Amino acid sequence: MRTYGIYKIKETYQDFVLGRERLLYDLLSADGSDTHLNEVRYLCDRLEIGAIENAIMKQLGKNFHTIDRGDMKYTLTHPLKGTIDVGFSSHALHATCHGSRMLDLDLFVALSSAEDRYFAVMDESSEWGWLKPIRTSDHVLSAGCLLAQ
């Protein structure tokens, strides 16, 4: 079982966060505490649940045989891969994957098709990262400058 908190970083702060992902992980992994709630609200957009539901249904609906919908909760079941439980809070999507790691990839692809600013945190194993790699000309240039030195 793997549990993720997935956050949509505000576009304004996305460039600032690049290269500081470890600090973002430290902040988001403590999201449950009241001391960090204002910081999470400051850096992360409120989730557009309708857009997320559409992405989930469009991308995953055709491959998962069973989709149970509840009050802002989903359970998606694939006969070979396993089950994904999805729930929402104001600034985070909470997903629990039971089964193959391919479930995680399926969910990440579905979400990144809707938006490219999602950042995932899996606190149990201290893993974090962008669901979709970020490419900007500034970072390509600075990486090129580092290689030239």
Side-chain angles (χ1 to χ4, degrees), residues 35 37 45 64 79 112-114 120 131:
T35 57
L37 187 57
D45 279 331
F64 284 74
S112 63
S113 72
L131 298 190

Side-chain angles (χ1 to χ4, degrees), residues 142-149:
S142 64
C145 292
L146 289 174
L147 292 174
Q149 294 176 354

